[in-house]
Amino acid sequence: MKWKKFKKERISLNYTVMLVPHSQKKPIHFKTPVWTFGVVILGLFVLSGACLFFAGSRAGSRQQLSQVRMEKEQLEQEWEKLTEQKRLADEENEVLKEERRIQELELLELERKTRGTLKELEELVERESQIRQELGLGQILADSEDGTSGETTDSGGTDGDSGSSSAEGTQEGDEEAEQPAEAGGTPEDHEALAAGRGLQIASADLPLVLAQNSASFEAIQAELGYLQSQLDQKSGQYENYLTTIEEKKMAEAAEKARKEALRASIVTNALQYVGNSYVYGGNNPNTGVDCSGFTRYVLGNTAGVYLNRTAAAQSTQGRAVSAENARPGDLVFYSNGSTVNHVAIYIGNGRVVHASNERVGIITSNMYYRTPVKIVNMLGD
């Protein structure tokens, strides 16, 4: 009886709800237990806490999403920058290749012109020798000396002592020389007379012939001097080209030595991580890395080469080479039968270093522990 009275008086509370305020109608009264009121209040507290919790979580998610978006934008900017650097490097490489091709063509043209100049010089020397032989300067001088001695002998053969007697003797000698011809002298007399006249003609024309030959000789000498100067000039240009070629060869040798040293550095840097752990999706061999993350980290930090993230994407970069031409620092790719799923770094002597799996981590293996599907040179040499 007491419990019912207590339950009726204490547990049940009276509440008046004015459904229509400022109305002439009678308000609605209803009773509700205390525990119902408590449940309602507790539900309100739980609902408020849940709203506050989800609001905080949503704000944290927004902040985290904003941070991820910023990191993505930074990575995209870095990727664009590296892409632009690679494009500029490719353009510079093409320009250098074109300049080298042009220099090689100029060198070949210079060699061809030099050979042509030397051939022309030899032809001119041979032509000069032929002209000397055709002119016969030595024979003409010898004939001149013979003609002078013959005239002296004829003059000495007269009997006169004074100049008039000499002239008379010469005239008499001429008349005597003509008499045998008019009288039908002997053949020996005719030959002597013809020889005397030939000597007189040769002696008269000798200065003109010598002057003409001297002018021809001077013209030939001038032409030879011009060709010699041209040859010297071309030889100087040829020497300059040889010097340029030697400098190019030295620069190429230095660049080759630098690339070989860079390849050795890649191998040394990769081998220092042997024994470290394998973590799928990892990017740092010090804390854990997968196969493509390992190659990306080593080549990026040692040689400054940007690589894509996955092995399949990396296999589309660089220049493919054969197994016989593989060099330390090249990448060796393997396939699961349909797509490329693994990559390793070639270290020479038929061996590779790679992040194998979670059980063994980073190890060295024979290059043919699986069949390679592609070998790529990422350094561009």
Side-chain angles (χ1 to χ4, degrees):
M1 187 67 181
K2 292 181 178 181
W3 167 251
K4 290 182 178 180
K5 184 178 181 180
F6 175 79
K7 182 178 179 182
K8 182 178 180 181
E9 295 178 355
R10 301 295 183 185
I11 296 179
S12 298
L13 298 179
N14 294 325
Y15 295 93
T16 300
V17 179
M18 182 70 70
L19 295 179
V20 183
H22 307 288
S23 176
Q24 298 293 332
K25 295 182 179 181
K26 184 178 180 180
I28 299 175
H29 296 273
F30 64 90
K31 295 181 179 180
T32 179
V34 175
W35 62 271
T36 304
F37 182 77
V39 168
V40 172
I41 297 299
L42 181 61
L44 292 175
F45 275 112
V46 171
L47 181 61
S48 300
C51 291
L52 292 175
F53 173 77
F54 285 113
S57 300
R58 187 175 181 182
S61 299
R62 288 180 178 178
Q63 183 178 2
Q64 186 176 4
L65 181 62
S66 176
Q67 184 177 0
V68 170
R69 187 180 295 108
M70 291 177 61
E71 292 179 355
K72 179 183 177 183
E73 291 177 354
Q74 292 177 356
L75 289 175
E76 289 177 350
Q77 293 176 359
E78 183 180 357
W79 181 79
E80 292 177 356
K81 183 178 179 181
L82 291 173
T83 303
E84 181 65 18
Q85 292 177 355
K86 182 178 182 296
R87 185 184 65 81
L88 293 176
D90 292 339
E91 291 179 355
E92 184 177 359
N93 189 22
E94 292 297 329
V95 171
L96 291 175
K97 287 182 179 179
E98 182 66 18
E99 290 180 354
R100 180 180 178 183
R101 186 184 67 83
I102 293 174
Q103 289 178 353
E104 290 177 351
L105 292 176
E106 290 179 352
L107 179 59
L108 293 175
E109 181 66 16
L110 179 60
E111 290 179 350
R112 186 186 65 79
K113 290 182 178 179
T114 302
R115 288 194 297 267
T117 304
L118 291 175
K119 185 177 180 180
E120 290 177 359
L121 183 60
E122 292 176 355
E123 291 176 354
L124 286 174
V125 172
E126 184 178 357
R127 179 184 173 189
E128 181 188 11
S129 300
Q130 292 176 357
I131 291 173
R132 288 177 180 274
Q133 293 177 0
E134 291 175 358
L135 292 177
L137 295 178
Q139 183 65 34
I140 292 175
L141 291 175
D143 293 342
S144 177
E145 292 175 357
D146 293 342
T148 303
S149 61
E151 290 176 356
T152 305
T153 304
D154 293 339
S155 299
T158 59
D159 296 333
D161 295 332
S162 64
S164 60
S165 62
S166 297
E168 292 174 356
T170 304
Q171 185 177 1
E172 292 176 355
D174 294 338
E175 292 176 354
E176 291 176 355
E178 292 175 357
Q179 288 176 359
E182 294 175 355
T186 62
E188 288 80 3
D189 296 336
H190 287 286
E191 291 178 0
L193 179 59
R197 291 180 178 177
L199 290 175
Q200 291 177 1
I201 295 173
S203 299
D205 295 338
L206 180 60
L208 179 60
V209 173
L210 289 177
Q212 293 176 351
N213 292 339
S214 178
S216 300
F217 181 74
E218 290 177 357
I220 292 172
Q221 288 291 101
E223 187 175 0
L224 289 176
Y226 172 75
L227 290 177
Q228 185 63 40
S229 65
Q230 291 294 317
L231 180 60
D232 293 339
Q233 181 180 359
K234 295 297 183 181
S235 298
Q237 293 178 358
Y238 182 72
E239 292 294 333
N240 292 334
Y241 277 114
L242 288 180
T243 303
T244 303
I245 291 173
E246 290 297 328
E247 292 176 354
K248 289 284 186 181
K249 288 182 179 179
M250 292 177 62
E252 290 176 356
E255 180 66 14
K256 183 178 179 181
R258 188 187 70 81
K259 285 296 181 68
E260 293 298 330
L262 180 61
R263 289 178 176 276
S265 299
I266 292 174
V267 173
T268 302
N269 189 23
L271 291 177
Q272 69 176 338
Y273 300 111
V274 171
N276 288 11
S277 59
Y278 175 97
V279 175
Y280 181 76
N283 294 304
N284 192 331
N286 294 301
T287 58
V289 69
D290 59 10
C291 63
S292 57
F294 179 62
T295 56
R296 190 169 188 257
Y297 181 89
V298 172
L299 267 71
N301 287 274
T302 306
V305 176
Y306 173 80
L307 294 180
N308 295 323
R309 181 60 187 85
T310 65
Q314 290 178 9
S315 66
T316 63
Q317 299 178 254
R319 176 174 59 86
V321 297
S322 62
E324 294 77 10
N325 295 325
R327 290 185 290 173
D330 290 343
L331 298 186
V332 183
F333 293 91
Y334 302 90
S335 172
N336 59 2
S338 58
T339 59
V340 173
N341 68 340
H342 191 64
V343 59
I345 300 175
Y346 185 69
I347 59 176
N349 298 323
R351 299 191 64 79
V352 295
V353 58
H354 58 125
S356 180
N357 52 51
E358 295 179 353
R359 181 174 57 84
V360 296
I362 300 175
I363 59 172
T364 61
S365 306
N366 188 294
M367 183 175 71
Y368 295 100
Y369 84 102
R370 289 170 60 186
T371 302
V373 295
K374 192 175 185 180
I375 302 174
V376 174
N377 176 1
M378 293 292 183
L379 300 182
D381 56 349

